[in-house]
Amino acid sequence: MSDEKELNRQKVIEFIRSEKSDSVETINMATPIESIQIDSIDVMHVIFKFEEEFGVHVDLPQFTQFKTIGDFVEALLAFIPEKGKHT
Amino acid sequence: MLSHGVEITGRGVVSSLGLDISTFEKSILAGESAIKPLPASFSSGLRFSTGAPVSEFTPESYFDQRALNTLDRFAQFATVAARQAWQESGLASAKTPPERIAVITGTANAGIDVLELGFKRIFIENKSPLPLTIPMNMASSPASRIAREIGARGPVFTVSSACASSGQAVALALLLLQSGIVDVAVAGGSDSCYSLGYLKAWDSLRVVSSDICRPFSKDRRGITIGEGAGIIVMERTGRAVSRGTKVRGRLLGAAMSSDAGDIILPDPAGMIQAMQGAIESAGLDPRHIGYINAHGTGTIANDKFESLAIRKTFGGHCDSLPVTSSKSALGHAMGASGALELLVTLAALNAQIVPPTLNFTEPDPECCLDVVPNIPRAAQFEFALSNSFAFGGLNVSLALGREDSRI
């Protein structure tokens, strides 16, 4: 399960990197959100890609509450139902 | 009276006959046609098999992914055309107060490609539409994008009057300039027409020619669908010379009218009112007009009534007045057609060549005009009209002159 979660983390970070055209992969879990100038349209597209990839519906609170990319990624991953459990 | 006109200092085009003004002008004046057999992905299940899509346009050459996420195809067309026009005008390095710059775009369809994609995702794939479907679909999105790119902070808005949209956008820009509200106006329009649902809708209306658009020809059967964008930069007279910028032509007058009648069938009275109004507002007399770029859709009704209206407006002058339809080369680019045909008219004025009416086979006694069939013709003329007469009886006629036009 933890391997799968790590893979999912990397997928979401890739979504963010592609929105920010981050070809040198400077964005990681520890990156402070304010340092990469991510705006509401970027966030919308990342959430859209996440929903498409994982077949879930995401209803996130205000994006501005997240301090790091990791906070945002973990909040998204929480929407993926754990295997064997019905949500 | 000619001092009322404005100067055209920038031209931009995205068309089925070229993605820059020089290719476009060369092609249209040589009598080339953009109408081709449609690819199989479009033509199956349609009663027509030809069209004039802008097939060479590659969005990635002009926009990064972030911009493409916000711009539907019609907005991409308009933005690229506006960039060309703005560059030609040399205004990027001029210090025009931003609030004195207007942007007026026209579109008949708005962002139909993103809607079609959204409907497919919703109704067939059980998915969500794209996150930016709403802003991409907005008819005014090209105006907003152009304003952002050039920093225009004056009146920025969009006209949607079916196939008169971009002609009316240009007419309104003239009024803003003449009234002194702005010093510079970027105006024109765009439409994207090659989504299957849109083509099917035209097919259902049964006005698309099964083979090809033959304006004013006795055997005409309807329109051929085109698409694209035409944008011009217009300025109050005198600004260009002080900046050392070349004037590409003059918009001398414009008039709009409404038939107040049928949603499809045109009324010659509305057409006459628009043409007479444009000529009068330019300070001209009908006999000064040396060329008309007609609306000329290739439908039975339009060409018959437009011919009648031209005969009534110009009388005996019709015998020495060439009237041609560029829709025979470009197809019908809907809301973009007025601006594209204005650019054709300017090219004709500057080159002193009348672009022909293509695909012409047989004169129609009900279209008794000199339509310059199939082959371009050299001519001498100072002034020209460009007509757009839309569904719903919404008409506009633009009176244009050469840079140094004199009566």
Side-chain angles (χ1 to χ4, degrees):
Chain A
M1 182 63 200
S2 60
D3 284 352
E4 190 179 338
K5 197 158 189 177
E6 184 53 34
L7 277 176
N8 291 343
R9 268 191 202 106
Q10 290 310 314
K11 268 186 191 166
V12 180
I13 288 176
E14 274 310 312
F15 295 157
I16 300 169
R17 285 177 181 153
S18 75
E19 283 308 311
K20 299 307 296 176
S21 302
D22 177 32
S23 54
V24 291
E25 302 188 354
T26 53
I27 296 173
N28 56 50
M29 292 289 276
T31 306
I33 279 171
E34 61 183 23
S35 74
I36 60 164
Q37 295 176 323
I38 197 163
D39 67 13
S40 60
I41 288 179
D42 299 324
V43 172
M44 210 167 15
H45 278 106
V46 172
I47 293 175
F48 179 74
K49 285 179 181 171
F50 180 84
E51 288 182 332
E52 295 267 293
E53 176 72 24
F54 295 102
V56 295
H57 178 70
V58 170
D59 186 13
L60 268 186
Q62 278 295 321
F63 176 74
T64 47
Q65 73 174 43
F66 302 120
K67 288 191 171 55
T68 64
I69 289 296
D71 295 342
F72 177 43
V73 171
E74 294 300 340
L76 285 178
L77 293 180
F79 286 91
I80 301 174
E82 282 184 38
K83 278 186 183 153
K85 286 188 181 175
H86 293 285
T87 51
Chain B
M1 283 297 282
L2 289 181
S3 61
H4 282 297
V6 298
E7 292 171 338
I8 296 166
T9 55
R11 302 157 300 166
V13 69
V14 170
S15 82
S16 49
L17 268 187
L19 303 178
D20 62 85
I21 195 73
S22 134
T23 310
F24 175 77
E25 289 195 331
K26 208 177 292 172
S27 307
I28 199 85
L29 293 176
E32 289 175 18
S33 172
I35 300 174
K36 295 184 178 70
L38 285 175
S41 58
F42 282 125
S43 56
S44 96
L46 296 171
R47 280 181 286 257
F48 55 93
S49 57
T50 62
V54 181
S55 45
E56 307 290 310
F57 186 81
T58 50
E60 301 76 18
S61 309
Y62 303 98
F63 302 99
D64 62 20
Q65 189 54 49
R66 192 174 162 77
L68 290 175
N69 285 342
T70 66
L71 298 170
D72 207 11
R73 191 168 149 88
F74 85 119
Q76 296 167 19
F77 286 171
T79 304
V80 170
R83 285 176 185 171
Q84 295 168 17
W86 193 247
Q87 184 176 8
E88 186 174 73
S89 75
L91 281 164
S93 53
K95 290 193 169 57
T96 311
E99 68 279 7
R100 303 283 300 168
I101 305 173
V103 178
I104 312 176
T105 57
T107 177
N109 303 338
I112 53 173
D113 296 283
V114 73
L115 270 195
E116 176 152 320
L117 176 66
F119 292 150
K120 188 175 160 217
R121 290 175 59 89
I122 296 164
F123 297 120
I124 296 174
E125 299 169 359
N126 195 28
K127 292 178 175 174
S128 301
L130 298 187
L132 294 176
T133 298
I134 294 292
M136 286 175 82
N137 171 251
M138 293 189 309
S140 53
S141 69
S144 295
R145 178 74 195 193
I146 295 165
R148 174 181 153 167
E149 291 205 2
I150 67 172
R153 290 176 178 268
V156 174
F157 59 94
T158 292
V159 178
S160 188
S161 306
C163 303
S165 299
S166 58
Q168 291 196 340
V170 168
L172 281 164
L174 174 66
L175 294 175
L176 286 184
L177 287 160
Q178 286 175 325
S179 67
I181 292 171
V182 297
D183 297 323
V184 172
V186 178
S190 68
D191 262 316
S192 163
C193 302
Y194 278 83
S195 55
L196 188 57
Y198 185 70
L199 296 177
K200 289 257 186 198
W202 273 106
D203 202 26
S204 294
L205 195 60
R206 294 175 183 269
V207 296
V208 183
S209 174
S210 56
D211 60 350
I212 201 163
C213 167
R214 304 178 192 283
F216 305 113
S217 192
K218 193 173 182 186
D219 59 353
R220 67 189 181 278
R221 293 179 186 172
I223 69 168
T224 293
I225 296 173
E227 62 175 357
I231 300 278
I232 57 170
V233 174
M234 304 151 69
E235 302 184 56
R236 297 180 74 181
T237 299
R239 284 175 49 95
V241 67
S242 64
R243 211 170 59 248
T245 292
K246 188 169 166 52
V247 175
R248 309 289 171 171
R250 306 181 71 194
L251 179 62
L252 299 166
M256 294 176 269
S257 70
S258 156
D259 294 351
D262 194 85
I263 193 67
I264 293 176
L265 206 61
D267 178 350
M271 299 173 167
I272 293 167
Q273 188 185 329
M275 287 189 282
Q276 284 179 342
I279 295 165
E280 281 168 24
S281 72
L284 299 171
D285 181 271
R287 69 192 156 80
H288 293 131
I289 301 297
Y291 167 57
I292 298 178
N293 190 291
H295 188 56
T297 56
T299 60
I300 299 287
N302 176 86
D303 295 1
K304 171 182 162 186
F305 290 127
E306 189 172 7
S307 300
L308 188 65
I310 290 170
R311 273 270 153 205
K312 286 205 169 174
T313 305
F314 293 90
H317 180 51
C318 280
D319 297 332
S320 55
L321 177 60
V323 178
T324 71
S325 167
S326 302
K327 292 183 178 74
S328 61
L330 296 163
H332 195 332
M334 307 301 158
S337 61
L340 286 168
E341 291 159 19
L342 178 159
L343 291 169
V344 174
T345 310
L346 273 185
L349 277 162
N350 290 330
Q352 296 285 280
I353 294 171
V354 174
T357 302
L358 299 176
N359 317 318
F360 190 87
T361 54
E362 192 181 349
D364 180 351
E366 290 196 301
C367 303
C368 189
L369 299 168
D370 175 9
V371 301
V372 191
N374 302 322
I375 297 167
R377 183 193 296 167
Q380 287 189 316
F381 57 109
E382 295 286 314
F383 305 102
L385 281 190
S386 181
N387 289 338
S388 296
F389 301 143
F391 273 176
L394 308 181
N395 309 305
V396 59
S397 190
L398 306 169
L400 295 141
R402 302 174 70 188
E403 177 211 343
D404 53 355
S405 298
R406 296 286 178 272
I407 293 174

